[in-house]
Amino acid sequence: MKLLLTLSLLAISLHSLALPTHVKNVKGYSFNHDGDLVRFSNMVCENGKVIATGGEELLQHYPSGNQMDGLGKTVLPGLIDAHGHLLNLGKNLLQVDVRALPSAQKTALKVEKYAAANPKLAWITGRGWNQVLWPNKQFPTAKQLDEYVNDRPVWLTRVDGHAGWANSKALAMAGISKETLDPPGGKILRDAQGQPSGVLIDNAMELLERTLPKEGAELHQASLNAATSHLLSLGITSMHDAGISYEVYEFYRSLATQGNLPLRVYAMISATDPNLTKMLEAGHFRDDADFLSIRSVKAYGDGALGSRGAALLVPYLDAPSNTGLLVTRLEDVKPLFDLVIGHKFQLNFHAIGDRANRIALDQFADTFSRLGGMSLRNRIEHAQVVDVGDIPRFKQLNIIPSMQPTHATSDMNMAEDRIGQRRIKGAYAWQTFLRQGSPVAFGSDFPVELANPFYGLHAAVTRQDRKNQPRQGWIKSEAVSVVQAFKGFTLDAAFAAHQEAHLGSLEAGKWADFILVDQDIFTIEPEDIWKTRVLETWIAGKMVYSYQGD
C-alpha cells in the first residue's frame, strides 16, 4: 500500500533548515558517550548537527524553529556500512544481475535476454553467479555461455568478486589460450585438454579485465548516482569504500571539494594501484563537512571461500590438494605494511582464510615492533576463518575485525564442506571477538551481498537466512544481541574509521544523520528485523530520501 507522506516531518522545506529543527514525538535510539544505548523522544538539530536529545523538556528549552511531529515512528542514527564497493555497486545496478539464479543455463538465458535488449553494448558484463547454488555445484564453462551469446564478449563476475566467467569471444579477445600461464595469485581453470574452460580465479581475472573498455568520469558519475540512490533508500548514510584506484581517488576528492558527494565515504586506497606512494605522500584528506575521509589503504591477502581461493593453513576438506591463493606475494607483504603504516595510514588487510589472517597478524606485529602504528586502528577485512588461537591476537595488537554478517548466512551451505567442523569454530566468530573486547565493524561487502543493512542486522542476531533457516540458527553461540549488532553498524563502524567524534550516534555536536523506519527493531521479534522499511533518510539535517510506496 502506498505510504501517505503526511507526516509533519515531510512538511519542512529544505530552505528552512537553517533554523533549529525540533523532531518530536519519536521513539529514538542512540548511544551515549560511554557507548550505552539510550532512548529519546525529542531531538533538536541546527546547522546540520545535533544540539540535544531528550524528552518533552526540550520543547521548552528550544521553543523556536521548525516543529516536526514524528507521530511515534522510530528514529535511528544513519547506518554505516563498514565494507562495501560503492562504484562497483553502481555498475552492478547498471549491468545484468545474475544473482541467485538456480543453474548455469538459467544464468546464460538471462544474459541472452539482456544482450538482446542492449544491442549497442560492445561488452556484456554482469555479476552474481554462484555455482554452489546449482544442482551439480560445478564451475560453469565458456561453451555454456556460447550457446546463448557468441557474437559479443561476455564477462560475468562471481558473486564474491573473486572469480569470473567468460564466453569464448571474451577469452579470445583477451588472448587467453592453452599456452597462457597462471599468474601469481591466480588460476585459469582448464578442461581435460588443458584449454581454458571459461572461469578465471582471483589474479587471473586481470588477464581479461584489462581488455574491458576503459572507465571514465561519465561512468563513475552514473555508477555513483545509481549506488547512492539505492543506499540512501536503505538508510545507509555513510560507507567505507574498500579499495579505490587513483582515478576514483581524484574523482571523490573533486566532488567533496565542490560539496557534491551525496553520501559519506571513508575511502580506502587500493594497495595495488601504481600511484599508491603518490597518494600516501599526499597525506590524509578530510573535507570540512565530513563527506570524504581518506586515511587508509586496502591490501589484499587471499581470495574467497566459495571459489576455494581463501588461503588456508591446511588443505580444503573438499579439495585435499588445494590450500587457496595468496593474492599478494608473501615476499611483498612486509614492504607493503611498512610503506603504508610508515606513512601513518590505517592498513585494512583482506583476509578470509586462516593462513591469510595469520600472515596479517604476524606482519602487523613485526611492523609495530619496528615502526609503531598500533594506534592507527588497523583492520582485517572479513576475518572470516581465523585459527582459534589467533583470535586473542586481534585484541593484543589492537586490530579491528571488520566483518559482514550476511557472509555467514550465505556461506553456511558450504563453509563446513570447505573447512570441516574443527576450523569452523574460529569462523564468523562475532561474539567471540566482542567478548574479548574487540570492537567489530559490521558491513555487507556489497555488491557481493545485498546492501540492505537490516539483512545484516537480522543475520547477526539470528544466524538465519530470511526464511528463518536453520531453525536454531547456524552456530548460534556466535550470534550477537540486537544492541551489539546495531552498534556494529553505527558507533563501532564509525570508530573503525576514526570518526566516532562526528558520526555513529545522535549525540550533541555530531552530524544529524538519522533515519525514520517503520518498526522498532529493539522490540519486534528478531526474525522480522530484515523486513524493516526505511521511510526517510537525513544527512546533516537534510532529508535526502523519502519512501514513495511500492
Side-chain angles (χ1 to χ4, degrees):
M1 187 179 78
K2 186 176 178 67
L3 180 71
L4 297 177
L5 299 179
T6 57
L7 296 176
S8 298
L9 206 56
L10 296 177
I12 307 301
S13 61
L14 292 182
H15 68 79
S16 64
L17 286 173
L19 296 172
T21 301
H22 191 143
V23 183
K24 63 182 182 180
N25 188 23
V26 297
K27 290 193 291 185
Y29 292 92
S30 184
F31 293 100
N32 62 20
H33 185 71
D34 297 321
D36 299 320
L37 188 72
V38 295
R39 293 196 58 178
F40 61 89
S41 61
N42 289 253
M43 177 174 66
V44 181
C45 309
E46 187 174 23
N47 296 323
K49 293 190 175 182
V50 177
I51 297 177
T53 58
E56 292 186 359
E57 73 279 359
L58 294 184
L59 292 170
Q60 285 74 46
H61 295 162
Y62 302 94
S64 63
N66 303 312
Q67 298 288 318
M68 300 171 12
D69 190 347
L71 300 179
K73 297 296 182 182
T74 298
V75 167
L76 306 171
L79 299 175
I80 302 172
D81 191 307
H83 186 113
H85 305 277
L86 185 59
L87 299 189
N88 280 350
L89 171 64
K91 286 188 292 183
N92 191 211
L93 293 169
L94 299 173
Q95 296 173 337
V96 56
D97 183 2
V98 295
R99 183 187 300 269
L101 295 178
S103 68
Q105 182 183 24
K106 293 286 188 183
T107 303
L109 180 61
K110 186 169 184 179
V111 172
E112 179 188 41
K113 292 179 179 178
Y114 178 84
N118 296 274
K120 295 183 179 180
L121 290 178
W123 278 74
I124 305 300
T125 57
R127 183 169 182 153
W129 62 272
N130 184 359
Q131 85 284 357
V132 175
L133 304 178
W134 300 344
N136 61 10
K137 300 185 185 299
Q138 298 298 309
F139 280 112
T141 66
K143 291 180 180 179
Q144 289 172 301
L145 279 177
D146 293 343
E147 292 179 22
Y148 294 86
V149 182
N150 55 33
D151 61 329
R152 282 178 284 173
V154 177
W155 177 241
L156 306 174
T157 309
R158 192 180 185 276
V159 65
D160 58 14
H162 288 272
W165 175 19
N167 68 352
S168 296
K169 183 83 169 178
L171 291 174
M173 290 180 66
I176 299 172
S177 66
K178 185 176 182 179
E179 287 70 38
T180 306
L181 300 177
D182 289 348
K187 187 174 183 179
I188 302 170
L189 298 192
R190 304 174 191 270
D191 61 21
Q193 288 72 45
Q195 296 288 348
S197 67
V199 171
L200 310 177
I201 306 292
D202 285 311
N203 285 358
M205 298 167 67
E206 297 173 12
L207 300 174
L208 186 142
E209 289 179 340
R210 63 194 181 197
T211 310
L212 292 170
K214 298 298 181 183
E215 299 176 5
E218 185 176 347
L219 178 58
H220 290 334
Q221 189 64 58
S223 299
L224 178 63
N225 293 343
T228 297
S229 295
H230 184 63
L231 295 177
L232 294 177
S233 75
L234 300 174
I236 295 172
T237 56
S238 178
M239 61 82 60
H240 301 177
D241 203 346
I244 65 167
S245 66
Y246 179 70
E247 185 179 358
V248 175
Y249 168 90
E250 291 284 273
F251 175 65
Y252 284 167
R253 283 173 57 115
S254 176
L255 288 178
T257 301
Q258 298 167 29
N260 291 331
L261 203 55
L263 84 167
R264 303 192 190 279
V265 177
Y266 182 74
M268 310 176 199
I269 298 168
S270 174
T272 59
D273 192 277
N275 291 293
L276 173 61
T277 301
K278 178 179 179 179
M279 290 183 278
L280 292 175
E281 291 177 348
H284 297 174
F285 177 91
R286 174 191 167 200
D287 70 299
D288 293 338
D290 288 312
F291 272 86
L292 179 64
S293 176
I294 305 176
R295 56 177 299 165
S296 64
V297 171
K298 165 75 177 299
Y300 306 88
D302 59 350
L305 200 62
S307 51
R308 297 190 185 89
L312 302 181
L313 293 169
V314 296
Y316 282 83
L317 191 66
D318 58 355
S321 63
N322 185 12
T323 56
L325 297 167
L326 289 179
V327 177
T328 299
R329 296 184 307 173
L330 193 57
E331 58 267 34
D332 294 334
V333 171
K334 180 177 179 178
L336 175 60
F337 275 58
D338 287 0
L339 175 67
V340 174
I341 293 174
H343 279 86
K344 308 302 181 186
F345 271 64
Q346 177 194 60
L347 180 60
N348 302 333
F349 193 80
H350 166 114
I352 290 194
D354 49 11
R355 185 185 179 208
N357 276 277
R358 181 169 293 176
I359 287 170
L361 292 167
D362 287 347
Q363 191 53 58
F364 275 125
D366 173 65
T367 299
F368 292 163
S369 70
R370 294 178 290 103
L371 302 180
M374 192 180 294
S375 64
L376 294 173
R377 302 182 190 177
N378 302 284
R379 296 158 48 165
I380 289 184
E381 302 300 311
H382 309 305
Q384 201 161 301
V385 180
V386 184
D387 185 89
V388 172
D390 283 333
I391 291 178
R393 300 179 68 196
F394 280 75
K395 177 66 174 176
Q396 295 160 9
L397 294 169
N398 199 30
I399 305 300
I400 297 171
S402 171
M403 308 177 79
Q404 299 75 45
T406 50
H407 277 341
T409 51
S410 292
D411 292 355
M412 63 186 179
N413 62 344
M414 60 83 182
E416 287 193 53
D417 293 339
R418 295 285 193 270
I419 61 176
Q421 289 186 353
R422 182 184 64 80
R423 283 182 285 181
I424 208 72
K425 293 179 180 178
Y428 317 91
W430 315 321
Q431 190 60 255
T432 298
F433 279 114
L434 288 170
R435 276 199 302 266
Q436 74 176 14
S438 295
V440 178
F442 277 149
S444 67
D445 198 11
F446 63 73
V448 174
E449 301 283 354
L450 296 174
N452 193 325
F454 294 98
Y455 292 178
L457 286 162
H458 169 264
V461 173
T462 66
R463 304 279 292 202
Q464 295 176 323
D465 62 22
R466 293 183 295 282
K467 296 179 180 179
N468 300 320
Q469 296 298 318
R471 290 187 60 83
Q472 301 304 315
W474 184 59
I475 318 178
K476 190 62 181 289
S477 60
E478 292 295 348
V480 301
S481 69
V482 179
V483 174
Q484 288 173 321
F486 182 60
K487 193 175 182 183
F489 277 102
T490 52
L491 196 57
D492 282 349
F495 178 85
H498 297 267
Q499 293 178 320
E500 74 280 6
H502 311 285
L503 306 175
S505 64
L506 296 172
E507 298 174 75
K510 293 189 178 184
W511 291 107
D513 297 357
F514 61 93
I515 59 176
L516 187 77
V517 297
D518 68 344
Q519 58 180 356
D520 185 342
I521 63 172
F522 297 98
T523 60
I524 62 173
E525 291 296 323
E527 66 183 29
D528 292 326
I529 291 174
W530 70 270
K531 300 175 184 177
T532 303
R533 183 185 296 279
V534 175
L535 305 178
E536 297 172 5
T537 301
W538 296 67
I539 296 180
K542 295 183 179 181
M543 188 170 65
V544 292
Y545 165 80
S546 65
Y547 174 60
Q548 300 296 323
D550 294 326

